[in-house]
Each structure stands twice: as C-alpha cells, then as structure tokens.
Amino acid sequence: MGIREGLFTPNEGARWASDGLIALVDLPGKNLRLYCIKFGATTLIVGGGGPKPKEKDGKKVRALQEIPKLEDENYLLRALSLLINQAIRDKTIWFDGNYLEGQLELGTDADE
C-alpha cells in the first residue's frame, strides 16, 4: 500500500521535481488544492491549500501565484521541503521503514 498516484497532481508549483511538491485535487473540477510533500512511495507531509477558481476579476487564473492564499501555502511547503531535503543530505533525518526519523525539529538560522 502506498500513495495513490492518480489522486495527486505532480510538481504542483514546485521549483524542481526533487522538491516533492504535489497537490491533492478534487474531481472532476480540480478547483481545490491541498499541497503536500511526497517522500518515496509511502511518506506524505500534508500542508495547506484552498480553492483555485477558474477566473478571478474576470480574468482566467493560470498560476497559483495569482491566488495569495495558494501562493503562501505552496511557498511554505517549498521552504519546508528544502529544509527536510537538506537534513536528509546532512544525515540528521533519515527513513526508518516508512517513517522519517532523527532530528525532526526543523528551523533556519533566523529562527534561533
């Protein structure tokens, strides 16, 4: 059992595919976005999201950056993904079976 691929939009707002950002979307309209970070086939970190309307102020909405809430939620997960991926490279976080283990309190130098 693992993450069911057909329910998610890959690379949703990600800078790089390695970010692991995906979005759970509602069907059939695909208006709702719930941003997540995927690690492997079984580990999923769920973030925030919201509706992505087809139009805003009479103009077609193409990018998540056109909706401030979606942009904020997506960028927060991008930052978290960078921290986690760096911690994995530094070997302060690792996979133990289907779980992330190690120092799971993450922050930046600005947080100290």
Side-chain angles (χ1 to χ4, degrees):
M1 181 80 49
I3 297 170
R4 193 165 160 200
E5 297 295 330
L7 300 177
F8 296 90
T9 301
N11 304 321
E12 179 74 21
R15 287 175 301 238
W16 304 283
S18 62
D19 282 348
L21 260 59
I22 59 178
L24 178 62
V25 296
D26 61 332
L27 297 174
K30 296 186 179 182
N31 294 331
L32 185 63
R33 301 288 189 275
L34 178 62
Y35 296 113
C36 308
I37 305 170
K38 179 182 168 198
F39 290 98
T42 58
T43 304
L44 185 70
I45 297 173
V46 179
K52 182 181 176 192
K54 303 279 184 210
E55 290 187 7
K56 180 181 173 191
D57 301 326
K59 297 179 184 174
K60 185 173 182 170
V61 173
R62 296 186 186 272
L64 68 95
Q65 291 84 352
E66 296 175 52
I67 310 298
K69 172 145 176 48
L70 292 181
E71 181 180 44
D72 291 347
E73 298 290 356
N74 185 279
Y75 284 25
L76 174 65
L77 255 55
R78 284 185 190 189
L80 179 60
S81 177
L82 285 173
L83 289 171
I84 292 171
N85 281 307
Q86 185 60 53
I88 290 170
R89 284 191 296 278
D90 294 343
K91 298 185 181 359
T92 57
I93 291 178
W94 58 91
F95 283 97
D96 184 9
N98 294 331
Y99 302 95
L100 287 172
E101 296 285 344
Q103 182 170 341
L104 300 177
E105 285 189 36
L106 300 173
T108 63
D109 292 337
D111 294 336
E112 297 174 4

